[in-house]
Structures are given as structure tokens and as C-alpha cells.
Amino acid sequence: MGKHGKHLVWDWNGTLLDDIGAVIGATNAAFAELGLASITLEQYRDLYTVPVPKFYERLMGRLPTDAEWTVMDGTFHRHYWKRAENCGLTTGAAELLAARQESGFTQSLLSLAPHAELIPLVRRYGIAERFVRMDGRPDASTDGKSGHMVRHLAALAVPAERVVVIGDAADDAVAAGHVGAKAVLYTGGSHSRASLSRVGVPVVDSLEEAVAVAESLV
């Protein structure tokens, strides 16, 4: 399990990958397909939630129909993956991952991004070897991360009490709590600091601070 048994589970989108601009652009493209008004970054961070249809409900005042969801989801992913090609890693991410690996600690990657698209992208950034395991979403479900976290830790055979999840969304903390792990939430992604602060776990403004806080939790 690595030095002292401490293990970090990293989120990808909005945490290690600085893609919030791509997400906003793709979200507004999806809204345009249905004639909905564009939203700002601040509006997105205040309203975003998982599962994603609930996020659209907050914006539309109702859940999207199945037909609307199909259009919006397809449009979002088409525009997102075009924009993701131009996104970079979050400041300091590559260095933090390398330093932690070189110190003998283990870390893994768990994302709700589709597995088939996630793995090649992580490899392209040259950081795949930093993780002992990488898991993306294996199906088309809109569920949150909790069930995936159970399977991820089971595959790693890492006790939850030695795990800290680092992510940018309230759902990351929910998933951590679901398995009995700790969580640290980063403000550079999908949620505002105010919304993250309501979750009840440490909130930080940089990945360097996230790692430092995580080390103090286990």
C-alpha cells in the first residue's frame, strides 16, 4: 500500500485537469441546443450537482425529458472532448504526483469521465505511471461516484481508513464518506467555495494545500 499505508484517490476533471473552461463552453453549447440561456462560471459553480440531470433541473425548473437529456448529453460530450484537447493540468499537479510517488506513497485515479476516453487522455499528459490504478465510468449511467468508489477500493485492496479522496465536487466527499474514507475538496473546479464549505470536509485553494491537508488526515 505504500509508505505508511497512506493512499490518495484523485479526481480528474476540475481537479488534476484544469478543464472548467471547457466544461462551461460545452454546457452552454448543450443549453443552446434547447434554446436555454447561457450561464456564467459563477452560476455553474453555485448550482452544479451530481447526478447531472438534477443540475439541469436547477437551471430549467424541471428535470429534462429523456429526449432533451439525450440531446444535451450528446452535445455536451461532443463539444467537451474537442475543448479538452487544449486543456492543461492544474498548476503543480504533475510535480505533486511525481513527488508523492517518489516518496513511496501510493495514489490512484477515479473519475466519472468515460473510461475509454479518460485513460488515453491521462497517458497523453505523461502522468499515467504515477497511479497504481485508473478507473473511469464504465457505462452510461448518471449516478454519482459512491458505487464506483466501492469497486475502486475493492480492486486496490486498500483499507478505507487509510484513504483520502481529493476532488472538486461535493460528490467526491459523498463517495469518500460512503466507504469510510476522508476527503479534501479543491475550489478550482465545479463548485464555489461557499457550496463546498457546506459539505463539512476541509476545503482548499490549491492542490499543494490539498496534499498537505490529506497527509494530516491519515
Side-chain angles (χ1 to χ4, degrees), residues 164-216:
V164 182
V165 177
I166 297 179
D168 68 311
D171 187 56
D172 292 302
V174 171
H178 182 71
V179 296
K182 301 289 196 304
V184 179
L185 297 179
Y186 164 61
T187 61
S190 60
H191 285 28
S192 66
R193 171 174 272 279
S195 61
L196 291 179
S197 295
R198 292 193 288 269
V199 178
V201 302
V203 177
V204 300
D205 297 315
S206 72
L207 296 188
E208 183 177 15
E209 187 182 358
V211 171
V213 172
E215 294 292 356
S216 73

Side-chain angles (χ1 to χ4, degrees), residues 12 117-129 134:
W12 178 243
E117 282 84 10
L118 172 70
I119 303 306
L121 187 59
V122 177
R123 287 177 176 151
R124 199 187 81 190
Y125 285 101
I127 59 172
E129 68 276 10
M134 298 184 292

Side-chain angles (χ1 to χ4, degrees), residues 25-109:
T27 297
N28 282 329
F31 287 173
E33 287 288 321
L34 296 182
L36 300 174
S38 297
I39 63 170
T40 65
L41 173 60
E42 290 73 21
Q43 288 173 313
Y44 183 94
R45 284 176 164 164
D46 283 341
L47 295 174
Y48 181 73
T49 190
V50 173
V52 176
K54 295 292 291 181
F55 167 56
Y56 289 144
E57 181 182 26
R58 290 180 175 185
L59 291 161
M60 300 170 66
R62 61 175 175 80
L63 281 169
T65 65
D66 289 345
E68 289 172 334
W69 169 252
T70 298
V71 169
M72 295 170 79
D73 189 52
T75 302
F76 173 88
H77 284 99
R78 186 170 66 253
H79 284 268
Y80 172 79
W81 289 109
K82 288 179 182 178
R83 289 169 166 81
E85 293 293 319
N86 298 315
C87 295
L89 294 177
T90 299
T91 301
E95 295 79 7
L96 284 167
L97 293 171
R100 199 166 193 285
Q101 182 188 43
E102 290 162 6
S103 296
F105 294 103
T106 59
Q107 52 203 341
S108 58
L109 182 67

Side-chain angles (χ1 to χ4, degrees), residues 101-172:
Q101 182 188 43
E102 290 162 6
S103 296
F105 294 103
T106 59
Q107 52 203 341
S108 58
L109 182 67
L110 179 61
S111 174
L112 291 180
H115 188 82
E117 282 84 10
L118 172 70
I119 303 306
L121 187 59
V122 177
R123 287 177 176 151
R124 199 187 81 190
Y125 285 101
I127 59 172
E129 68 276 10
R130 306 301 182 196
F131 305 109
V132 296
R133 184 178 180 86
M134 298 184 292
D135 286 319
R137 180 168 49 80
D139 52 36
S141 73
T142 59
D143 295 337
K145 193 174 279 186
S146 293
H148 299 299
M149 186 68 71
V150 172
R151 292 186 289 273
H152 185 71
L153 294 193
L156 289 168
V158 177
E161 62 268 18
R162 305 304 297 169
V163 171
V164 182
V165 177
I166 297 179
D168 68 311
D171 187 56
D172 292 302

